[in-house]
Every structure is written in structure tokens, then in C-alpha cells.
Amino acid sequence: MRTKLLFAVAAGAGAMMAAAPALSAEVHYIRCGSIGLDADRALIKKFEAANPGDTINMESLPWGTCQDKSLKLASTGDPASVAYMGSRTLKQLAEYNLIVPVEIPEEQQATYQSGVLNTVSYRDRFWGFPHAFSTKALFMNCGLFEEADLACDAPGTWDDMYVAAKTIKEKTGKAGVGITGKDFDNTMHQFLNYLYSNGGQVIDPSTNEITLNSKNTLETLKFYGKLVDVAQDGPTAFERTQVRDLYNDGKVAMYIDGPWGRAQHKDDINGKTVPIPAGPSGVSGTLLLTDSIVVFKGSGHEDVAMKFARMLTSGESQYAVDSNPGSELVPILKYEELGWENPFYKDDPYWAVFIDPISTGGPEPLFVDYKAMQTIINSMIQGIILKDDTAENLVAIAAEELEEFK
């Protein structure tokens, strides 16, 4: 595939580049988005003051282009020093020898929320510093529940969720639940929230074996297909933000989203945020999704870049990212244990819904070609939505196709 060739060329280029000793370093830092820019600028000044002669050249790019530029630079042998990357890319970057593994001492590992480091782990090493973290929950429009003469109670199980959704659709004509099916990353993410709430997984990170073809996945895919009957029309045309729009318009009673959902919902919606219901073979869980700060090989000053990456992702610097009101991120560290007496989430019960399921959640699966993995899983989901094949066949086909990219 073209992606594999691109990274193979980059790996060869990186291997030939010698890191010559230097008295000072110019660190090229690619960061994504505009939120928190002032905090990063202040951090850079602090770093440069503590490291005379070293400079940080920050390049802030829109979310849609920042990661692609980092990958392109790495593929041409002229990598950024430090970059903000989706953790899903780490296995690919590590396999092609483009990034430097990071050392996180056991004492520091214990300060992360449970499961977070699984999102950056491959072959018993860490390949990035987690820097942004999200989980998911179920948002409920209590107004539609009341319209259907239902109590707006959190569904504890998939059966509870389906019965409520079916009643709402029959009595109000509105969708009981919103689901995604568009060829987009959050279609796979939505499915993984259900899969992790049913005790399933896509790949075993300890053995690198594909585990998708299981009872857990089969139950999950069948349930996703069942939800089609009580969802909005044409789910394959929708990704998460479009489902959110339907929720805001009072056309969907329930949907899954991240903590940013609260700020994006209309003020007049009588809403409730609850855990994702449990499947028949699991307990309530969630997708653990992170972005990371990575250090690329070939800059010639990897040591300085690593020092800066550590500063970006620890202590007060990380807390500034997590607590920024514009980010609406789940706390990535256990700040109470690090000395914060009143962290931003402590007295807000909203955050408990996103923090409590962390221990039963699972990471975004790491594959050498994550885009291929996403396409395969989305095809499986679309197949059940469109009733193209049986759940058994769709799961078996997807598991077989994933073998090529693990």
C-alpha cells in the first residue's frame, strides 16, 4: 500500500541521518488547534529560560492538517522535532523507526488514570506522552422521555436502552437513539464504546493477536444492527456531530458523545448524562482515546526535544491543558495524588460519569496501518446497518482482513 511505502522510505532516510552533536538546538514543535496557545507560549519561554541556547519554534496548525504535515515531513526525512499526534499512529511510526520511545518511570506511571498508558504502549514500550484524553457517555433528552411517558432513568443494560428507544420512537415518531455509520473515524469509535461495554476487544496488545472474532463482538454487532430500527433514518449518512445536531433539534432521544457535549447542547434541552449501558457479556465501559506528544528521530537534538516533551505533558503544564474550559477533556492524571486540593472536576458530578468508567474502558486499537483498520471496521458496521450480510460473516471477514495490518 502507498502508506506502507511512504513510511518505508522515511525509515530508510531516518536511519541514514546522523545526529551530529550540537551546542544548541532549534526544536521544531508542531501542535494542533488554537486552544491553549497562550499557555504553550508561556511554557516555551520558561523552557528556553531554563535551557539557554535552545529555542522552540512552535508551528500551530489546524486539526485537519497538523498530523498530515508531521507525517509528510517524517516521510521525506526532514521530521519535526516534537509533534502532537493521535495515539493511533504510534504503532505505525514505531514500526518504521521514525519516533523515539519514551521512558516513563513506574512512579510516574502510577499518576496516570487507569488504562491511559495502554493507548501509547506497543511491544512493552511507550511511544508517546499522552497529552489529551477523552472518554464517552450517554446523553439523554429527558423531554422526549417525558413525551413518551417514560421516566428519564439511566439504562443499565442494552435491553433497557433498546426498550426505551423503541417506546420513544413508537410514541413520538422521534429517533430513540442516534447512531453513526458514515465512513468516518467516529463510526468505529461509537462501535468500540459498545464493544468495550460488552467485554470485547479488537486486538490483544500483549500478544498482537486479532481477537475481534468473538462472542463479544458478535453480540455487539447484532445489537448495533438492532438499534437501526429505533434510530434516525439512514445512519450511514451520519457521523457523531451530525447526530449531535439531531439531538439539539429534539429529533434524537439518546446518543453517545464526549464531555464536550455539554457545552455544545442547546440550553433549553432538559438533558441527563449517564454511563454507557452494559452489554450481556460486560460492564459499562468506554473508549479511552488519547492524543500524544511524540519525539521524532532524525532532528539531531532528540535529547532536547524529549526534555521539552516531558515539560509539555507533566504537572502544571498538563493540568492547564486538561482544565482549559475550551478543551472539555477528561483529566489524564490523578491530580489529587499530585497535590491539587481542588482539581476542576472534583465538585462537578458531571465529570464522574466520564471518569468512573475509565477502569473498564479500552484503548483505540493500535495497528501498523490504522486507516486500513478503520476502513475494515467501518465496513463491518455499515454491513450490519445495511443488512448486507449476517453478523457472523461480517465479523469473520473483518477479523481476517485485519490480520494483514496488525
Side-chain angles (χ1 to χ4, degrees):
M1 293 182 65
R2 183 176 181 274
T3 305
K4 286 188 174 183
L5 290 174
L6 182 74
F7 276 88
V9 169
M16 292 186 290
M17 293 182 67
L23 297 177
S24 61
E26 290 188 11
V27 174
H28 179 197
Y29 166 40
I30 294 181
R31 57 105 67 200
C32 301
S34 58
I35 294 175
L37 267 175
D38 288 341
D40 270 12
R41 292 188 183 107
L43 181 70
I44 288 170
K45 288 183 179 179
K46 183 177 179 181
F47 181 87
E48 291 176 342
N51 297 272
D54 296 330
T55 57
I56 308 295
N57 297 322
M58 180 173 66
E59 183 177 9
S60 181
L61 297 171
W63 281 101
T65 59
C66 63
Q67 185 166 278
D68 287 344
K69 178 163 185 179
S70 296
L71 293 173
K72 183 177 180 180
L73 289 174
S75 72
T76 58
D78 184 27
S81 313
V82 179
Y84 192 117
M85 303 291 293
S87 298
R88 71 192 71 169
T89 66
L90 298 185
K91 185 173 182 177
Q92 187 176 38
L93 294 167
E95 278 291 307
Y96 288 106
N97 198 31
L98 294 176
I99 56 176
V100 180
V102 305
E103 299 295 331
I104 304 178
E106 286 189 17
E107 183 179 350
Q108 185 181 351
Q109 291 177 35
T111 67
Y112 284 92
Q113 299 281 4
S114 174
V116 165
L117 290 177
N118 291 336
T119 68
V120 297
S121 302
Y122 174 57
R123 295 192 185 279
D124 298 321
R125 306 200 76 172
F126 303 121
W127 295 94
F129 294 103
H131 192 45
F133 178 41
S134 70
T135 59
K136 302 295 187 294
L138 183 71
F139 288 88
M140 303 170 64
N141 184 333
C142 292
L144 290 182
F145 276 74
E146 293 167 4
E147 190 177 333
D149 298 319
L150 290 174
C152 194
D153 297 330
T157 67
W158 287 357
D159 286 343
D160 295 338
M161 180 182 185
Y162 180 80
V163 169
K166 186 173 185 291
T167 302
I168 289 169
K169 188 152 192 180
E170 288 175 349
K171 289 191 174 182
T172 71
K174 312 289 178 56
V177 63
I179 62 175
T180 60
K182 199 170 185 176
D183 193 13
F184 212 70
D185 61 356
N186 60 51
T187 287
M188 178 185 72
H189 293 164
Q190 291 280 297
F191 180 79
L192 289 174
N193 284 303
Y194 288 105
L195 182 62
Y196 288 135
S197 294
N198 197 40
Q201 61 178 0
V202 175
I203 186 171
D204 187 330
S206 62
T207 64
N208 207 39
E209 293 300 313
I210 302 298
T211 53
L212 183 73
N213 197 354
S214 67
K215 169 191 172 185
N216 311 75
T217 307
L218 189 58
E219 290 173 341
T220 306
L221 192 63
K222 286 182 176 179
F223 180 66
Y224 208 84
K226 186 178 179 180
L227 287 179
V228 173
D229 297 332
V230 295
Q232 80 277 15
D233 292 337
T236 55
F238 288 84
E239 50 95 4
R240 189 186 63 230
T241 61
Q242 293 168 308
V243 173
R244 179 203 64 207
D245 292 342
L246 293 180
Y247 179 88
N248 270 329
D249 290 340
K251 297 177 180 178
V252 162
M254 296 177 280
Y255 88 111
I256 293 174
D257 206 349
W260 48 80
R262 175 170 64 175
Q264 296 174 347
H265 294 156
K266 291 181 178 178
D267 293 337
D268 60 354
I269 292 178
N270 177 19
K272 180 182 284 188
T273 312
V274 301
I276 296 167
S281 298
V283 296
S284 176
T286 181
L287 171 64
L288 309 179
L289 195 64
T290 69
D291 294 325
S292 304
I293 298 296
V294 304
V295 176
F296 279 90
K297 285 189 175 182
S299 68
H301 45 256
E302 287 88 341
D303 55 341
V304 179
M306 185 69 71
K307 188 186 299 185
F308 177 65
R310 286 186 185 280
M311 191 172 183
L312 269 175
T313 57
S314 60
E316 293 183 3
S317 304
Q318 186 61 49
Y319 186 79
V321 173
D322 290 354
S323 61
N324 189 309
S327 301
E328 293 289 347
L329 295 171
V330 175
I332 208 166
L333 299 173
K334 301 173 184 176
Y335 291 107
E336 302 97 321
E337 298 177 15
L338 292 172
W340 271 260
E341 293 183 3
N342 191 31
F344 69 95
Y345 51 85
K346 183 179 179 181
D347 296 323
D348 187 348
Y350 176 77
W351 285 106
V353 180
F354 294 94
I355 295 172
D356 291 348
I358 290 174
S359 62
T360 52
E364 188 172 21
L366 295 184
F367 279 75
V368 172
D369 189 335
Y370 77 90
K371 288 186 177 179
M373 178 265 293
Q374 176 181 300
T375 297
I376 290 167
I377 293 180
N378 280 354
S379 294
M380 177 186 75
I381 297 166
Q382 291 165 348
I384 202 69
I385 290 174
L386 298 172
K387 297 180 171 59
D388 287 341
D389 206 341
T390 65
E392 289 81 1
N393 284 343
L394 289 167
V395 171
I397 291 168
E400 183 178 352
E401 290 178 343
L402 286 173
E403 288 286 346
E404 181 182 352
F405 305 104
K406 66 182 185 180

